[in-house]
Amino acid sequence: EAQVTQNPRYLITVTGKKLTVTCSQNMNHEYMSWYRQDPGLGLRQIYYSMNVEVTDKGDVPEGYKVSRKEKRNFPLILESPSPNQTSLYFCASRTGTLNEQFFGPGTRLTVL
Amino acid sequence: KQEVTQIPAALSVPEGENLVLNCSFTDSAIYNLQWFRQDPGKGLTSLLLIQSSQREQTSGRLNASLDKSSGRSTLYIAASQPGDSATYLCCGESGSTLGRLYFGRGTQLTVWP
């Protein structure tokens, strides 16, 4: 089944403890992207990747890192999480620039 | 910076009504535009994608159009049903920086029997 998977789905952590949210797609998509969704603010793009080893900042990249070492994976790294990074995070992928995005199920992160 | 406005923010209608949801971009240079639905506590489901060379797309009771000159898109839902209740989101890709995508805050739709 074609899908985008994210792990973990739920995470509660404490300020300053490094964490990684994984994202994987099995559709051989070139493009992958991370978003956060906050009440009243909607979805905002954090980072995106047009292909392997190519990453670019979105709207809200501060406090996040990403890497794209292989096509199928696009992990989101929070080196020192803070409470303002408490949010619902979505990963998405698509083929090239003329095709629809497919979204993962989301990761709900709480930073205490 | 691109700003995306969706109007109305919320809509409550009886079953059977035809609906129009609106989305507008401050920068009209939109490359692609995609409409999604999101059910409470769930992820995003793609509804329609209008590619750069297109002006509208149709799928069943849904029709989406894009006016690139004004940076406005409309999602038309015909003969609404209670199962259409969800939040509808529009997402535009920047024409000047491919890969940069911008979402509106959504229209929360309730269709009652």
mmCIF file of all heavy atoms in Angstrom, chain B residues 1-52:
data_model
loop_
_atom_site.group_PDB
_atom_site.id
_atom_site.type_symbol
_atom_site.label_atom_id
_atom_site.label_comp_id
_atom_site.label_asym_id
_atom_site.label_seq_id
_atom_site.Cartn_x
_atom_site.Cartn_y
_atom_site.Cartn_z
ATOM 1 N N LYS B 1 5.781 38.256 1.942
ATOM 2 C CA LYS B 1 5.436 36.916 2.375
ATOM 3 C C LYS B 1 4.012 36.574 1.933
ATOM 4 O O LYS B 1 3.112 37.390 2.049
ATOM 5 C CB LYS B 1 5.538 36.829 3.901
ATOM 6 C CG LYS B 1 5.216 35.452 4.452
ATOM 7 C CD LYS B 1 5.136 35.477 5.960
ATOM 8 C CE LYS B 1 4.564 34.161 6.467
ATOM 9 N NZ LYS B 1 4.306 34.183 7.910
ATOM 10 N N GLN B 2 3.847 35.374 1.452
ATOM 11 C CA GLN B 2 2.532 34.921 0.972
ATOM 12 C C GLN B 2 1.563 34.741 2.136
ATOM 13 O O GLN B 2 1.893 34.111 3.144
ATOM 14 C CB GLN B 2 2.725 33.600 0.234
ATOM 15 C CG GLN B 2 1.462 32.962 -0.304
ATOM 16 C CD GLN B 2 0.907 33.665 -1.515
ATOM 17 O OE1 GLN B 2 0.174 34.647 -1.378
ATOM 18 N NE2 GLN B 2 1.203 33.158 -2.701
ATOM 19 N N GLU B 3 0.382 35.313 1.999
ATOM 20 C CA GLU B 3 -0.680 35.113 2.979
ATOM 21 C C GLU B 3 -1.869 34.485 2.250
ATOM 22 O O GLU B 3 -2.202 34.886 1.126
ATOM 23 C CB GLU B 3 -1.120 36.440 3.600
ATOM 24 C CG GLU B 3 -0.020 37.181 4.359
ATOM 25 C CD GLU B 3 0.306 36.530 5.690
ATOM 26 O OE1 GLU B 3 -0.505 35.723 6.175
ATOM 27 O OE2 GLU B 3 1.388 36.822 6.232
ATOM 28 N N VAL B 4 -2.504 33.509 2.900
ATOM 29 C CA VAL B 4 -3.630 32.804 2.298
ATOM 30 C C VAL B 4 -4.855 32.994 3.178
ATOM 31 O O VAL B 4 -4.793 32.725 4.377
ATOM 32 C CB VAL B 4 -3.325 31.299 2.153
ATOM 33 C CG1 VAL B 4 -4.447 30.613 1.380
ATOM 34 C CG2 VAL B 4 -1.984 31.073 1.486
ATOM 35 N N THR B 5 -5.937 33.467 2.575
ATOM 36 C CA THR B 5 -7.164 33.707 3.313
ATOM 37 C C THR B 5 -8.248 32.781 2.808
ATOM 38 O O THR B 5 -8.461 32.678 1.594
ATOM 39 C CB THR B 5 -7.618 35.165 3.134
ATOM 40 O OG1 THR B 5 -6.571 36.042 3.588
ATOM 41 C CG2 THR B 5 -8.881 35.436 3.933
ATOM 42 N N GLN B 6 -8.927 32.123 3.739
ATOM 43 C CA GLN B 6 -10.060 31.281 3.366
ATOM 44 C C GLN B 6 -11.333 31.863 3.977
ATOM 45 O O GLN B 6 -11.378 32.163 5.167
ATOM 46 C CB GLN B 6 -9.862 29.841 3.841
ATOM 47 C CG GLN B 6 -8.818 29.101 3.034
ATOM 48 C CD GLN B 6 -8.830 27.613 3.284
ATOM 49 O OE1 GLN B 6 -7.859 27.061 3.797
ATOM 50 N NE2 GLN B 6 -9.926 26.956 2.933
ATOM 51 N N ILE B 7 -12.329 32.006 3.118
ATOM 52 C CA ILE B 7 -13.601 32.569 3.532
ATOM 53 C C ILE B 7 -14.730 31.660 3.059
ATOM 54 O O ILE B 7 -14.704 31.205 1.907
ATOM 55 C CB ILE B 7 -13.805 33.985 2.939
ATOM 56 C CG1 ILE B 7 -12.760 34.947 3.525
ATOM 57 C CG2 ILE B 7 -15.200 34.503 3.195
ATOM 58 C CD1 ILE B 7 -12.763 36.297 2.866
ATOM 59 N N PRO B 8 -15.736 31.338 3.925
ATOM 60 C CA PRO B 8 -15.803 31.756 5.319
ATOM 61 C C PRO B 8 -14.928 30.877 6.209
ATOM 62 O O PRO B 8 -14.486 29.816 5.780
ATOM 63 C CB PRO B 8 -17.285 31.568 5.651
ATOM 64 C CG PRO B 8 -17.692 30.409 4.797
ATOM 65 C CD PRO B 8 -16.905 30.541 3.524
ATOM 66 N N ALA B 9 -14.710 31.300 7.451
ATOM 67 C CA ALA B 9 -13.952 30.472 8.387
ATOM 68 C C ALA B 9 -14.769 29.282 8.855
ATOM 69 O O ALA B 9 -14.218 28.218 9.158
ATOM 70 C CB ALA B 9 -13.504 31.313 9.586
ATOM 71 N N ALA B 10 -16.083 29.466 8.919
ATOM 72 C CA ALA B 10 -16.974 28.384 9.319
ATOM 73 C C ALA B 10 -18.289 28.526 8.574
ATOM 74 O O ALA B 10 -18.700 29.627 8.217
ATOM 75 C CB ALA B 10 -17.211 28.401 10.827
ATOM 76 N N LEU B 11 -18.910 27.369 8.359
ATOM 77 C CA LEU B 11 -20.147 27.336 7.579
ATOM 78 C C LEU B 11 -20.998 26.192 8.088
ATOM 79 O O LEU B 11 -20.504 25.067 8.241
ATOM 80 C CB LEU B 11 -19.795 27.127 6.104
ATOM 81 C CG LEU B 11 -20.869 27.237 5.044
ATOM 82 C CD1 LEU B 11 -21.519 28.606 5.076
ATOM 83 C CD2 LEU B 11 -20.248 26.967 3.672
ATOM 84 N N SER B 12 -22.278 26.473 8.372
ATOM 85 C CA SER B 12 -23.196 25.444 8.843
ATOM 86 C C SER B 12 -24.436 25.491 7.959
ATOM 87 O O SER B 12 -25.093 26.529 7.898
ATOM 88 C CB SER B 12 -23.561 25.678 10.306
ATOM 89 O OG SER B 12 -24.443 24.668 10.778
ATOM 90 N N VAL B 13 -24.720 24.385 7.270
ATOM 91 C CA VAL B 13 -25.803 24.383 6.286
ATOM 92 C C VAL B 13 -26.619 23.102 6.405
ATOM 93 O O VAL B 13 -26.123 22.071 6.890
ATOM 94 C CB VAL B 13 -25.250 24.494 4.848
ATOM 95 C CG1 VAL B 13 -24.485 25.792 4.660
ATOM 96 C CG2 VAL B 13 -24.389 23.290 4.507
ATOM 97 N N PRO B 14 -27.869 23.129 5.937
ATOM 98 C CA PRO B 14 -28.656 21.894 5.894
ATOM 99 C C PRO B 14 -28.242 21.047 4.701
ATOM 100 O O PRO B 14 -27.735 21.555 3.693
ATOM 101 C CB PRO B 14 -30.093 22.396 5.742
ATOM 102 C CG PRO B 14 -29.946 23.718 5.073
ATOM 103 C CD PRO B 14 -28.654 24.292 5.547
ATOM 104 N N GLU B 15 -28.472 19.784 4.829
ATOM 105 C CA GLU B 15 -28.147 18.840 3.767
ATOM 106 C C GLU B 15 -28.801 19.255 2.449
ATOM 107 O O GLU B 15 -29.931 19.763 2.427
ATOM 108 C CB GLU B 15 -28.671 17.456 4.181
ATOM 109 C CG GLU B 15 -28.383 16.333 3.234
ATOM 110 C CD GLU B 15 -28.843 14.992 3.796
ATOM 111 O OE1 GLU B 15 -29.540 14.989 4.840
ATOM 112 O OE2 GLU B 15 -28.492 13.959 3.205
ATOM 113 N N GLY B 16 -28.093 19.063 1.344
ATOM 114 C CA GLY B 16 -28.649 19.339 0.027
ATOM 115 C C GLY B 16 -28.235 20.666 -0.570
ATOM 116 O O GLY B 16 -28.405 20.883 -1.777
ATOM 117 N N GLU B 17 -27.678 21.541 0.243
ATOM 118 C CA GLU B 17 -27.288 22.860 -0.281
ATOM 119 C C GLU B 17 -26.036 22.753 -1.146
ATOM 120 O O GLU B 17 -25.179 21.893 -0.930
ATOM 121 C CB GLU B 17 -27.019 23.812 0.867
ATOM 122 C CG GLU B 17 -28.234 24.146 1.688
ATOM 123 C CD GLU B 17 -28.425 25.642 1.826
ATOM 124 O OE1 GLU B 17 -27.424 26.373 1.725
ATOM 125 O OE2 GLU B 17 -29.561 26.062 2.031
ATOM 126 N N ASN B 18 -25.950 23.671 -2.119
ATOM 127 C CA ASN B 18 -24.740 23.826 -2.906
ATOM 128 C C ASN B 18 -23.870 24.885 -2.232
ATOM 129 O O ASN B 18 -24.371 25.944 -1.830
ATOM 130 C CB ASN B 18 -25.076 24.267 -4.336
ATOM 131 C CG ASN B 18 -25.932 23.248 -5.047
ATOM 132 O OD1 ASN B 18 -25.761 22.041 -4.864
ATOM 133 N ND2 ASN B 18 -26.877 23.715 -5.851
ATOM 134 N N LEU B 19 -22.586 24.593 -2.120
ATOM 135 C CA LEU B 19 -21.702 25.440 -1.319
ATOM 136 C C LEU B 19 -20.546 25.983 -2.143
ATOM 137 O O LEU B 19 -20.073 25.324 -3.076
ATOM 138 C CB LEU B 19 -21.114 24.620 -0.161
ATOM 139 C CG LEU B 19 -22.097 23.855 0.706
ATOM 140 C CD1 LEU B 19 -21.336 22.959 1.671
ATOM 141 C CD2 LEU B 19 -23.013 24.794 1.443
ATOM 142 N N VAL B 20 -20.066 27.160 -1.717
ATOM 143 C CA VAL B 20 -18.886 27.753 -2.327
ATOM 144 C C VAL B 20 -17.915 28.145 -1.229
ATOM 145 O O VAL B 20 -18.261 28.929 -0.329
ATOM 146 C CB VAL B 20 -19.251 28.992 -3.163
ATOM 147 C CG1 VAL B 20 -17.990 29.641 -3.713
ATOM 148 C CG2 VAL B 20 -20.187 28.601 -4.295
ATOM 149 N N LEU B 21 -16.711 27.590 -1.300
ATOM 150 C CA LEU B 21 -15.651 27.939 -0.363
ATOM 151 C C LEU B 21 -14.590 28.707 -1.139
ATOM 152 O O LEU B 21 -14.229 28.330 -2.259
ATOM 153 C CB LEU B 21 -15.028 26.678 0.258
ATOM 154 C CG LEU B 21 -15.993 25.670 0.884
ATOM 155 C CD1 LEU B 21 -15.213 24.521 1.506
ATOM 156 C CD2 LEU B 21 -16.903 26.316 1.886
ATOM 157 N N ASN B 22 -14.073 29.756 -0.512
ATOM 158 C CA ASN B 22 -13.143 30.642 -1.205
ATOM 159 C C ASN B 22 -11.759 30.646 -0.583
ATOM 160 O O ASN B 22 -11.611 30.500 0.639
ATOM 161 C CB ASN B 22 -13.688 32.070 -1.196
ATOM 162 C CG ASN B 22 -14.990 32.183 -1.940
ATOM 163 O OD1 ASN B 22 -15.026 32.094 -3.155
ATOM 164 N ND2 ASN B 22 -16.079 32.358 -1.202
ATOM 165 N N CYS B 23 -10.770 30.869 -1.429
ATOM 166 C CA CYS B 23 -9.375 30.893 -1.010
ATOM 167 C C CYS B 23 -8.684 31.971 -1.839
ATOM 168 O O CYS B 23 -8.856 32.006 -3.064
ATOM 169 C CB CYS B 23 -8.759 29.513 -1.267
ATOM 170 S SG CYS B 23 -6.986 29.386 -1.028
ATOM 171 N N SER B 24 -7.916 32.841 -1.183
ATOM 172 C CA SER B 24 -7.214 33.872 -1.944
ATOM 173 C C SER B 24 -5.786 34.037 -1.427
ATOM 174 O O SER B 24 -5.521 33.843 -0.236
ATOM 175 C CB SER B 24 -7.958 35.208 -1.869
ATOM 176 O OG SER B 24 -7.993 35.672 -0.540
ATOM 177 N N PHE B 25 -4.891 34.402 -2.337
ATOM 178 C CA PHE B 25 -3.472 34.540 -2.042
ATOM 179 C C PHE B 25 -3.052 35.995 -2.263
ATOM 180 O O PHE B 25 -3.453 36.619 -3.246
ATOM 181 C CB PHE B 25 -2.648 33.626 -2.964
ATOM 182 C CG PHE B 25 -2.905 32.164 -2.763
ATOM 183 C CD1 PHE B 25 -4.016 31.546 -3.318
ATOM 184 C CD2 PHE B 25 -2.048 31.401 -1.999
ATOM 185 C CE1 PHE B 25 -4.274 30.201 -3.115
ATOM 186 C CE2 PHE B 25 -2.287 30.050 -1.800
ATOM 187 C CZ PHE B 25 -3.403 29.450 -2.354
ATOM 188 N N THR B 26 -2.212 36.519 -1.376
ATOM 189 C CA THR B 26 -1.753 37.900 -1.543
ATOM 190 C C THR B 26 -0.815 38.015 -2.752
ATOM 191 O O THR B 26 -0.794 39.042 -3.422
ATOM 192 C CB THR B 26 -1.022 38.392 -0.286
ATOM 193 O OG1 THR B 26 -0.006 37.445 0.074
ATOM 194 C CG2 THR B 26 -1.991 38.561 0.868
ATOM 195 N N ASP B 27 -0.051 36.975 -3.006
ATOM 196 C CA ASP B 27 0.805 36.933 -4.185
ATOM 197 C C ASP B 27 0.134 36.010 -5.189
ATOM 198 O O ASP B 27 0.018 34.815 -4.952
ATOM 199 C CB ASP B 27 2.196 36.408 -3.823
ATOM 200 C CG ASP B 27 3.139 36.364 -5.015
ATOM 201 O OD1 ASP B 27 2.686 36.575 -6.165
ATOM 202 O OD2 ASP B 27 4.339 36.114 -4.796
ATOM 203 N N SER B 28 -0.319 36.561 -6.301
ATOM 204 C CA SER B 28 -1.112 35.770 -7.256
ATOM 205 C C SER B 28 -0.260 34.803 -8.083
ATOM 206 O O SER B 28 -0.798 34.028 -8.872
ATOM 207 C CB SER B 28 -1.887 36.697 -8.194
ATOM 208 O OG SER B 28 -0.989 37.490 -8.937
ATOM 209 N N ALA B 29 1.062 34.825 -7.907
ATOM 210 C CA ALA B 29 1.940 33.921 -8.661
ATOM 211 C C ALA B 29 1.906 32.525 -8.044
ATOM 212 O O ALA B 29 2.842 32.091 -7.379
ATOM 213 C CB ALA B 29 3.368 34.464 -8.671
ATOM 214 N N ILE B 30 0.802 31.847 -8.270
ATOM 215 C CA ILE B 30 0.611 30.495 -7.745
ATOM 216 C C ILE B 30 0.875 29.491 -8.862
ATOM 217 O O ILE B 30 0.349 29.635 -9.969
ATOM 218 C CB ILE B 30 -0.820 30.324 -7.202
ATOM 219 C CG1 ILE B 30 -1.034 31.260 -6.022
ATOM 220 C CG2 ILE B 30 -1.085 28.878 -6.791
ATOM 221 C CD1 ILE B 30 -0.116 31.007 -4.860
ATOM 222 N N TYR B 31 1.668 28.475 -8.553
ATOM 223 C CA TYR B 31 2.020 27.480 -9.552
ATOM 224 C C TYR B 31 0.994 26.348 -9.589
ATOM 225 O O TYR B 31 0.380 26.074 -10.596
ATOM 226 C CB TYR B 31 3.409 26.943 -9.225
ATOM 227 C CG TYR B 31 4.002 26.065 -10.290
ATOM 228 C CD1 TYR B 31 4.369 26.585 -11.522
ATOM 229 C CD2 TYR B 31 4.207 24.715 -10.058
ATOM 230 C CE1 TYR B 31 4.910 25.784 -12.497
ATOM 231 C CE2 TYR B 31 4.755 23.905 -11.032
ATOM 232 C CZ TYR B 31 5.107 24.441 -12.246
ATOM 233 O OH TYR B 31 5.649 23.635 -13.215
ATOM 234 N N ASN B 32 0.810 25.675 -8.461
ATOM 235 C CA ASN B 32 -0.211 24.638 -8.314
ATOM 236 C C ASN B 32 -1.112 25.006 -7.160
ATOM 237 O O ASN B 32 -0.696 25.709 -6.233
ATOM 238 C CB ASN B 32 0.416 23.272 -7.963
ATOM 239 C CG ASN B 32 1.260 22.717 -9.069
ATOM 240 O OD1 ASN B 32 1.060 23.051 -10.224
ATOM 241 N ND2 ASN B 32 2.200 21.874 -8.713
ATOM 242 N N LEU B 33 -2.333 24.467 -7.163
ATOM 243 C CA LEU B 33 -3.204 24.671 -6.026
ATOM 244 C C LEU B 33 -3.902 23.359 -5.711
ATOM 245 O O LEU B 33 -4.412 22.687 -6.614
ATOM 246 C CB LEU B 33 -4.244 25.759 -6.294
ATOM 247 C CG LEU B 33 -5.065 26.075 -5.040
ATOM 248 C CD1 LEU B 33 -5.054 27.549 -4.747
ATOM 249 C CD2 LEU B 33 -6.471 25.538 -5.146
ATOM 250 N N GLN B 34 -3.918 23.011 -4.439
ATOM 251 C CA GLN B 34 -4.522 21.745 -4.022
ATOM 252 C C GLN B 34 -5.517 22.009 -2.900
ATOM 253 O O GLN B 34 -5.244 22.808 -1.990
ATOM 254 C CB GLN B 34 -3.410 20.784 -3.543
ATOM 255 C CG GLN B 34 -3.833 19.344 -3.373
ATOM 256 C CD GLN B 34 -2.633 18.403 -3.179
ATOM 257 O OE1 GLN B 34 -1.484 18.824 -3.213
ATOM 258 N NE2 GLN B 34 -2.913 17.132 -2.987
ATOM 259 N N TRP B 35 -6.649 21.340 -2.964
ATOM 260 C CA TRP B 35 -7.647 21.379 -1.898
ATOM 261 C C TRP B 35 -7.601 20.075 -1.124
ATOM 262 O O TRP B 35 -7.514 18.988 -1.721
ATOM 263 C CB TRP B 35 -9.047 21.594 -2.467
ATOM 264 C CG TRP B 35 -9.338 23.010 -2.866
ATOM 265 C CD1 TRP B 35 -9.146 23.577 -4.095
ATOM 266 C CD2 TRP B 35 -9.891 24.037 -2.039
ATOM 267 N NE1 TRP B 35 -9.538 24.891 -4.082
ATOM 268 C CE2 TRP B 35 -10.009 25.203 -2.841
ATOM 269 C CE3 TRP B 35 -10.306 24.098 -0.698
ATOM 270 C CZ2 TRP B 35 -10.521 26.408 -2.341
ATOM 271 C CZ3 TRP B 35 -10.812 25.295 -0.213
ATOM 272 C CH2 TRP B 35 -10.915 26.433 -1.033
ATOM 273 N N PHE B 36 -7.702 20.205 0.212
ATOM 274 C CA PHE B 36 -7.701 19.051 1.102
ATOM 275 C C PHE B 36 -8.926 19.122 2.017
ATOM 276 O O PHE B 36 -9.481 20.195 2.248
ATOM 277 C CB PHE B 36 -6.465 19.061 2.020
ATOM 278 C CG PHE B 36 -5.158 18.903 1.323
ATOM 279 C CD1 PHE B 36 -4.474 20.015 0.837
ATOM 280 C CD2 PHE B 36 -4.583 17.654 1.179
ATOM 281 C CE1 PHE B 36 -3.245 19.880 0.208
ATOM 282 C CE2 PHE B 36 -3.353 17.504 0.555
ATOM 283 C CZ PHE B 36 -2.692 18.618 0.069
ATOM 284 N N ARG B 37 -9.273 17.965 2.562
ATOM 285 C CA ARG B 37 -10.199 17.942 3.687
ATOM 286 C C ARG B 37 -9.485 17.315 4.864
ATOM 287 O O ARG B 37 -8.619 16.426 4.697
ATOM 288 C CB ARG B 37 -11.514 17.230 3.389
ATOM 289 C CG ARG B 37 -11.467 15.752 3.313
ATOM 290 C CD ARG B 37 -12.871 15.164 3.149
ATOM 291 N NE ARG B 37 -13.519 14.935 4.444
ATOM 292 C CZ ARG B 37 -14.822 14.645 4.580
ATOM 293 N NH1 ARG B 37 -15.596 14.550 3.525
ATOM 294 N NH2 ARG B 37 -15.350 14.440 5.785
ATOM 295 N N GLN B 38 -9.851 17.786 6.058
ATOM 296 C CA GLN B 38 -9.287 17.226 7.278
ATOM 297 C C GLN B 38 -10.421 16.973 8.249
ATOM 298 O O GLN B 38 -11.145 17.889 8.632
ATOM 299 C CB GLN B 38 -8.258 18.192 7.892
ATOM 300 C CG GLN B 38 -7.548 17.616 9.099
ATOM 301 C CD GLN B 38 -6.469 18.535 9.645
ATOM 302 O OE1 GLN B 38 -6.531 19.743 9.505
ATOM 303 N NE2 GLN B 38 -5.448 17.957 10.278
ATOM 304 N N ASP B 39 -10.547 15.724 8.660
ATOM 305 C CA ASP B 39 -11.527 15.359 9.668
ATOM 306 C C ASP B 39 -10.902 15.541 11.045
ATOM 307 O O ASP B 39 -9.682 15.441 11.190
ATOM 308 C CB ASP B 39 -11.994 13.929 9.441
ATOM 309 C CG ASP B 39 -12.750 13.795 8.127
ATOM 310 O OD1 ASP B 39 -13.930 14.178 8.113
ATOM 311 O OD2 ASP B 39 -12.157 13.362 7.127
ATOM 312 N N PRO B 40 -11.709 15.786 12.064
ATOM 313 C CA PRO B 40 -11.179 16.064 13.413
ATOM 314 C C PRO B 40 -10.208 14.991 13.882
ATOM 315 O O PRO B 40 -10.518 13.798 13.847
ATOM 316 C CB PRO B 40 -12.451 16.099 14.273
ATOM 317 C CG PRO B 40 -13.528 16.515 13.338
ATOM 318 C CD PRO B 40 -13.184 15.873 12.024
ATOM 319 N N GLY B 41 -9.036 15.419 14.292
ATOM 320 C CA GLY B 41 -8.042 14.491 14.813
ATOM 321 C C GLY B 41 -7.374 13.617 13.762
ATOM 322 O O GLY B 41 -6.651 12.679 14.110
ATOM 323 N N LYS B 42 -7.594 13.932 12.510
ATOM 324 C CA LYS B 42 -7.056 13.095 11.428
ATOM 325 C C LYS B 42 -6.071 13.876 10.570
ATOM 326 O O LYS B 42 -5.864 15.079 10.751
ATOM 327 C CB LYS B 42 -8.205 12.604 10.539
ATOM 328 C CG LYS B 42 -9.302 11.869 11.264
ATOM 329 C CD LYS B 42 -8.911 10.470 11.639
ATOM 330 C CE LYS B 42 -10.084 9.693 12.198
ATOM 331 N NZ LYS B 42 -9.712 8.317 12.556
ATOM 332 N N GLY B 43 -5.510 13.160 9.603
ATOM 333 C CA GLY B 43 -4.603 13.790 8.657
ATOM 334 C C GLY B 43 -5.358 14.453 7.520
ATOM 335 O O GLY B 43 -6.567 14.633 7.573
ATOM 336 N N LEU B 44 -4.613 14.816 6.479
ATOM 337 C CA LEU B 44 -5.188 15.512 5.340
ATOM 338 C C LEU B 44 -5.441 14.551 4.194
ATOM 339 O O LEU B 44 -4.569 13.731 3.867
ATOM 340 C CB LEU B 44 -4.240 16.613 4.865
ATOM 341 C CG LEU B 44 -4.283 17.934 5.620
ATOM 342 C CD1 LEU B 44 -3.661 17.801 6.990
ATOM 343 C CD2 LEU B 44 -3.603 19.018 4.823
ATOM 344 N N THR B 45 -6.592 14.706 3.584
ATOM 345 C CA THR B 45 -6.955 13.907 2.417
ATOM 346 C C THR B 45 -7.050 14.826 1.213
ATOM 347 O O THR B 45 -7.774 15.824 1.242
ATOM 348 C CB THR B 45 -8.308 13.206 2.636
ATOM 349 O OG1 THR B 45 -8.218 12.371 3.797
ATOM 350 C CG2 THR B 45 -8.682 12.372 1.428
ATOM 351 N N SER B 46 -6.328 14.493 0.167
ATOM 352 C CA SER B 46 -6.351 15.318 -1.040
ATOM 353 C C SER B 46 -7.694 15.193 -1.747
ATOM 354 O O SER B 46 -8.225 14.087 -1.918
ATOM 355 C CB SER B 46 -5.234 14.876 -1.983
ATOM 356 O OG SER B 46 -5.279 15.616 -3.183
ATOM 357 N N LEU B 47 -8.231 16.334 -2.165
ATOM 358 C CA LEU B 47 -9.501 16.348 -2.897
ATOM 359 C C LEU B 47 -9.271 16.623 -4.381
ATOM 360 O O LEU B 47 -9.709 15.870 -5.241
ATOM 361 C CB LEU B 47 -10.426 17.419 -2.314
ATOM 362 C CG LEU B 47 -10.869 17.225 -0.873
ATOM 363 C CD1 LEU B 47 -11.642 18.442 -0.393
ATOM 364 C CD2 LEU B 47 -11.705 15.962 -0.731
ATOM 365 N N LEU B 48 -8.619 17.736 -4.662
ATOM 366 C CA LEU B 48 -8.419 18.152 -6.044
ATOM 367 C C LEU B 48 -7.098 18.893 -6.158
ATOM 368 O O LEU B 48 -6.717 19.634 -5.242
ATOM 369 C CB LEU B 48 -9.554 19.089 -6.507
ATOM 370 C CG LEU B 48 -10.940 18.466 -6.653
ATOM 371 C CD1 LEU B 48 -11.996 19.554 -6.760
ATOM 372 C CD2 LEU B 48 -11.000 17.558 -7.883
ATOM 373 N N LEU B 49 -6.430 18.695 -7.278
ATOM 374 C CA LEU B 49 -5.194 19.415 -7.585
ATOM 375 C C LEU B 49 -5.368 20.129 -8.908
ATOM 376 O O LEU B 49 -5.751 19.492 -9.904
ATOM 377 C CB LEU B 49 -4.024 18.444 -7.685
ATOM 378 C CG LEU B 49 -2.715 19.024 -8.249
ATOM 379 C CD1 LEU B 49 -2.105 20.006 -7.256
ATOM 380 C CD2 LEU B 49 -1.736 17.915 -8.594
ATOM 381 N N ILE B 50 -5.126 21.436 -8.921
ATOM 382 C CA ILE B 50 -5.129 22.201 -10.163
ATOM 383 C C ILE B 50 -3.676 22.474 -10.515
ATOM 384 O O ILE B 50 -2.984 23.217 -9.808
ATOM 385 C CB ILE B 50 -5.910 23.519 -10.023
ATOM 386 C CG1 ILE B 50 -7.339 23.238 -9.565
ATOM 387 C CG2 ILE B 50 -5.928 24.272 -11.358
ATOM 388 C CD1 ILE B 50 -8.152 24.493 -9.285
ATOM 389 N N GLN B 51 -3.221 21.862 -11.573
ATOM 390 C CA GLN B 51 -1.824 22.013 -11.968
ATOM 391 C C GLN B 51 -1.608 23.336 -12.686
ATOM 392 O O GLN B 51 -2.558 24.030 -13.032
ATOM 393 C CB GLN B 51 -1.415 20.834 -12.847
ATOM 394 C CG GLN B 51 -1.482 19.499 -12.109
ATOM 395 C CD GLN B 51 -1.078 18.337 -12.992
ATOM 396 O OE1 GLN B 51 -0.998 18.461 -14.207
ATOM 397 N NE2 GLN B 51 -0.831 17.194 -12.377
ATOM 398 N N SER B 52 -0.362 23.644 -12.923
ATOM 399 C CA SER B 52 0.007 24.972 -13.423
ATOM 400 C C SER B 52 -0.656 25.307 -14.755
ATOM 401 O O SER B 52 -0.932 26.468 -15.034
ATOM 402 C CB SER B 52 1.521 25.071 -13.566
ATOM 403 O OG SER B 52 2.002 24.083 -14.452
#
